Amino acid sequence: MDIEQIINLLSKEVNTFQAPIKDFEKIQTKEPFKVLVATILSSRTKDEVTSQAAKRLFDRVKNPEDLEQLSVSEIEKLIYPVGFYRVKARNLARLPSALKEVGGKVPDTMEELLKLPGVGRKTANLVLSRAFGKPAICVDTHVHRLVNMWGFVHSKTPEQTEDALKKLLPLHLWSQVNPTLVAFGQKVCKPKSPRCTCCPLSSWCSSSTIDDPNSSF
DNA sequence: AAAACGGGGGC
DNA sequence: GCCCCAGTTTT
């Protein structure tokens, strides 16, 4: 199998994994501002927690002007308990002014997105894909770990993995890579306790273990 | 009880 | 490159 086949296969099965991932769709409005905020909240945070926090925040905040009215501590209370909620609250409080400096709207280029507080390469790629439908691949730790384990790339950094994957996959699959492999990495191919017994790739994967004490899929 | 975790930023 | 931010989940 090649990486293209795997993404195709897993993207179909991803919703059958135990405790299906909460669709980002539920908080996704395609409004770039909300997508940006929700994506910032989502780093190092599970979808369900992100989703709840985003709902609370969007109840009060529809646009940068609304956000500007809130204090850091108010934002903290609204977004708790996403990972690093204090850092994120500080960054969100700075977001309205940061947006003004890049033209007043949520930017649709990597270069401009990286100027925003709390937005690094991974978050920027997700925003490009989620908000603007641009081809982008977010290589987080799961994506990096899995594609290296499978041997499709041999890379040290996420950036190298991103470049390699872009050469291996057709454009239309780029947006599938992160959501598919993150869900797979969380629910099936977990770093310390892979559930190979219920993995659709077990007969192919050379890392597959024979015994799987945790299988109760 | 300790380590890891879907990342980013400051040094 | 190293270390911090933080609560939650996993080991």
Side-chain angles (χ1 to χ4, degrees), chain A residues 12-175:
Chain A
K12 288 172 189 160
E13 303 228 5
V14 75
N15 288 322
T16 71
F17 297 157
Q18 185 187 43
I21 55 169
K22 297 291 180 184
D23 264 344
F24 196 82
E25 315 294 321
K26 290 178 180 169
I27 52 175
Q28 183 163 16
T29 61
K30 291 175 186 167
E31 287 177 59
F33 175 71
K34 289 188 177 180
V35 173
L36 172 63
V37 171
T39 304
I40 289 173
L41 291 179
S42 74
S43 75
R44 275 186 169 280
T45 305
K46 289 192 168 67
D47 274 0
E48 184 162 357
V49 176
T50 304
S51 195
Q52 298 299 319
K55 278 179 193 162
R56 283 195 301 277
L57 188 62
F58 293 154
D59 200 40
R60 298 272 302 273
V61 173
K62 313 291 186 193
N63 50 51
E65 292 71 37
D66 293 338
L67 185 56
E68 209 163 16
Q69 304 304 313
L70 295 181
S71 68
V72 172
S73 68
E74 286 175 313
I75 299 175
E76 283 183 1
K77 288 173 188 168
L78 288 168
I79 67 175
Y80 179 90
V82 300
F84 302 109
Y85 71 99
R86 279 184 184 158
V87 178
K88 288 174 183 172
R90 282 199 298 274
N91 286 335
L92 287 175
R94 290 171 48 207
L95 189 57
S97 66
L99 285 173
K100 288 173 190 170
E101 291 185 11
V102 292
K105 292 189 298 185
V106 177
D108 64 351
T109 64
M110 172 66 71
E111 184 186 359
E112 298 288 303
L113 282 167
L114 290 177
K115 294 177 180 174
L116 303 176
V119 178
R121 185 172 195 85
K122 301 182 181 69
T123 304
N125 269 325
L126 289 176
V127 171
L128 288 174
S129 175
R130 290 170 175 172
F132 302 108
K134 292 196 168 188
I137 301 181
C138 170
V139 176
D140 59 29
T141 56
H142 281 300
V143 176
H144 185 70
R145 170 175 65 87
L146 290 169
V147 298
N148 273 284
M149 178 191 78
W150 288 327
F152 295 117
V153 302
H154 305 279
S155 63
K156 177 76 175 169
T157 68
E159 288 78 8
Q160 290 169 10
T161 301
E162 184 184 328
D163 291 338
L165 285 178
K166 285 179 175 175
K167 292 175 185 171
L168 292 173
L169 290 167
L171 285 180
H172 71 93
L173 281 182
W174 289 15
S175 64

